[in-house]
Amino acid sequence: MALNTPAGGFFASRLDRMIGWARKYSIFQYPFVTACCGMEYMATACSHYDVDRFGAGMPRFSPRQADVLFVVGTISHKLAPTLKMIYDQMCEPKWVVAFGVCTCTGGFYDNYATVMGIDTIIPVDVYIPGCPPRPETVLDGLMKLQEKIQMGGGGQGSGNWAADN
Amino acid sequence: MNDELLETSTPVATNRMLLSFGPSHPAMHGTIKIDVELDGETVVDAKVEIGYLHRAFEKSCEQGNYMHSIPYTDRLNYVSPLICNFGYAQAVEKLMGIELTERCKYIRVILSELSRITDHLTCIGASAMELGAFSVFLYLIKAREYVYELIEDVTGARVTVSFVRIGGVKADFPQGFEEKTRAVLKKTRLVLDEVDRLLTKNRIFYDRMRDVGVCTRELAIQYGITGPFLRSCGVEYDVRKVTPYLVYDRLDFDVPLGERGDNYDRYLCRMREMEQSMRIIEQAFDRMPQGEINADFEERPIPAAEMRDLSKFGVTEGLVRRQVAAEPTLSGSERAFGNLVNIQNRKVILPPKDETYSNIEALMNHFKMVMTGHGLRPPRGEAYAAVEGANGELGFFVVSDGTDRPYRVRCRPPCFPTMAALPHLLIGYTVADIVPTFGSVNMIGGELDR
Amino acid sequence: MSVTLRKLKENFGGALFDLGSAFGDDFAVVHKDRIVEVSQALRDDPDLRYNFLIDVTAVDYPQRRPRFEVVYHFFSLPLRHRVRLKAPVDGSDPEVPSLVPLWKGADWFEREVWDMFGIRFAGHPDLRRILMYDGFEGHPLRKDYPVNRRQPRVGPRN
Ligand code: SF4
């Protein structure tokens, strides 16, 4: 959008903020749950910790309807192509959250079977470390994600979305 | 032209459809792929593909020493990690001929049963949710949260606990744990009662579970299936009863059995088993030998660092007998507790934490235990030990070559045979039955693929 | 000496390299060609009645000849005893007869041993990789497979 005209620039920034605000409270997540971190993912999603407070209570089990990909648990080389395919199927703008240290860096599984961090395969926006992260940490990560969404544009991987705008 | 087309194409009725469930499907919690072949709505063939969560457990165990394997065992069955911990330790202890202290045995029993409860809660919750009973899932996870709090009180972690030590456990129960546990059991019973009223006689639930996914006892035995699954077919096999370990032979509990081996029986078995687990916990608390905790210390515990500084300045009078407070995360592993819980062999178990922090012998002992090439050395040989995991017989086969590294650690996963038998439970039923059947057999990826 | 060991010694003395009891477990080392026969006897003998095949696995001893040892665990529910059979297998062309005709559960366990150790099971209906993927080279649980040699299908190679 044209930023050099004062009025237009003003309007664009307000609109962006408006869109960001709307988006950050309607996180449709795709939980790609594989392993132990899923236990804490469940705990976070249920009534004790209640992610619904952050507008993220609605998992969509189709990548085409989701805009945040939660990668929860170890990714093995056998599973890696599936993860990549799911990521590719998501519509832009899209964000990726690496949940647990296995997805951040590989964690303590440094062996022939595991991927050393999903960022070697797909771009990641928020890293939530911990093995598994406590629900409080997850909520913190979720708030970081919201900030990032509020700031506008797509996630790391959303190609030229921000530039096109 | 239309007629021609009709003639050449196959009639609709015999049109087979291939459908691929997973590896990322909401109902395939964990990761597994089922390729089903459908004729209309009926499943005529199913192929199960596993290995998506293979994390090289067995290879990783060969890399470090015997204690390094403990965190890996947590992540086998991450819904009931404590049982996996104890199973592994039991195999190594068998190899070393270690006899645990009485209190330690009770601690292990209580924690195993708490773990079993979390596992069954999760299994029933998840499979009910997949049938649309979302509120049941919320209730059961609420109950699981209570139990997690207990586990956190003892171990310091919610899921990945790494609580066991060869020859003992990391720490004793914190103060007031018994009362807290009894209170939690009471609350859990209320939740279970509520769930029982919501599900057991629920028409929809009943119709979708009853006579679906039937497994005969012959088939189950052929496949080597164990645990609640086998018991739901009417075979009375529970490792805790048949080859008792720890103190299970002294506790009074029943083994719930099913009759038909269908999904509904598996659900009922799990529900009843939780009740039995709670009974075990209560009995164990009653019979557990109590420690004379803090008996010979009157003064307030002194922080380890302060004690070290005092002795540096030569203030040693009465210091040896003072109780030392290690930092909060290590509480429960002090001398007074540790001696009661852990065996007294300094070549096997780490010294109590307050001693490590306050005197040089214990510090050296500690270093020696964790240094590569020293530490725990079981004699050359091999041993197999089985415990009753939440899904069945969880066995560990440990081969030692006399050094401080395990030569080979093999985990016998209870899920593995059930998944091998899964096609038999799916074929002949409709496509909508796949999800409840799969949910009721309770597959845990970490344990299945290791 | 337990019933199992006595029976095994009486009936299969020629097929056994060793038998005994260590750390509370009974074990017998069996010639690999006789493994089906011996297991069948364990299952069908009215004094033994080992109805569960609990586990099939293997251990790799690169220095030993023969190199591999396939390890079977059996359990008898009616008589409540356990036994371990071990079959040494040569490293150059490891092959053992399959137990699938006796226990269906052997199917996946043997596939796993093939996948992890590269030991073939003669007569197995469908011997494919089970935990690793097609295109994976080598057998990761062999001692000579480096623990972190990865064979990724997407993403960078190391
Ligand atoms: S980060 Fe830890 S808890 Fe999470 S999947 Fe990895 S090993 Fe499991």
Side-chain angles (χ1 to χ4, degrees), chain B residues 47-52 54 56 58-60 62-63 94-97 219-226 230 235-239 241-243 379-386 393 397 399 406-408 410-413 416-417 419-420 423-424 448-450, chain C residues 22-25 27 43 51-64 69 71 73 75-77 80-82 84 86 100-109 111-112 116-117 128-133 139-147 153:
Chain B
K47 287 197 186 64
V48 180
E49 170 80 26
I50 65 166
Y52 292 100
H54 181 56
E58 293 173 12
K59 189 93 175 171
S60 307
E62 292 168 14
Q63 309 305 316
K94 190 170 178 183
L95 206 53
M96 302 185 71
L219 192 74
I221 292 178
Q222 267 276 316
Y223 271 97
I225 293 171
T226 48
L230 182 66
V235 183
E236 192 171 0
Y237 176 40
D238 185 321
V239 184
K241 277 274 189 223
V242 170
T243 47
R380 186 186 291 261
E382 49 200 27
Y384 176 86
E393 171 167 340
F397 175 58
V399 182
Y407 189 78
R408 168 121 172 77
R410 155 79 181 167
C411 167
R412 189 262 175 199
F416 200 76
M419 283 299 114
H424 293 279
L448 175 72
D449 301 335
R450 281 150 291 135
Chain C
F23 303 104
D25 296 348
F27 72 92
R43 188 183 71 173
N51 52 352
F52 276 89
L53 172 65
I54 288 290
D55 191 20
V56 181
T57 184
V59 188
D60 178 12
Y61 299 99
Q63 292 83 20
R64 280 200 207 164
E69 217 167 47
V71 184
H73 284 97
F75 172 65
S76 156
L77 183 57
R80 306 188 169 189
H81 48 195
R82 294 175 187 274
R84 166 159 70 239
K86 302 195 280 181
V100 177
L102 297 180
W103 279 279
K104 289 200 185 113
D107 182 346
W108 275 28
F109 283 124
R111 273 176 70 188
E112 191 190 334
M116 294 285 129
F117 290 92
R128 288 179 290 130
R129 285 196 180 274
I130 184 165
L131 295 180
M132 306 312 293
Y133 33 92
H139 299 282
L141 270 182
R142 288 190 177 193
K143 290 278 175 188
D144 49 15
Y145 191 94
V147 62
R153 300 201 289 173

Side-chain angles (χ1 to χ4, degrees), chain B residues 9-10 14 35 43 121 149 181 183 196-197 200 236-237 259 275 348 379 390 398 407 411 431 449:
Chain B
S9 64
T10 37
T14 59
D35 288 325
V43 179
L121 287 173
E149 270 167 30
T181 310
D196 185 52
R197 276 182 286 134
T200 310
E236 192 171 0
Y237 176 40
E259 285 162 12
E275 182 48 44
V348 174
V398 179
Y407 189 78
C411 167
V431 64
D449 301 335

Side-chain angles (χ1 to χ4, degrees), chain A residues 35-37 73-74 100-102 108-109 130-132, chain B residues 55 75 160:
Chain A
C36 1
C37 275
T74 322
V101 72
C102 274
F108 82 150
Y109 285 106
C131 184
Chain B
R55 300 189 280 192
R75 287 141 179 97
T160 46

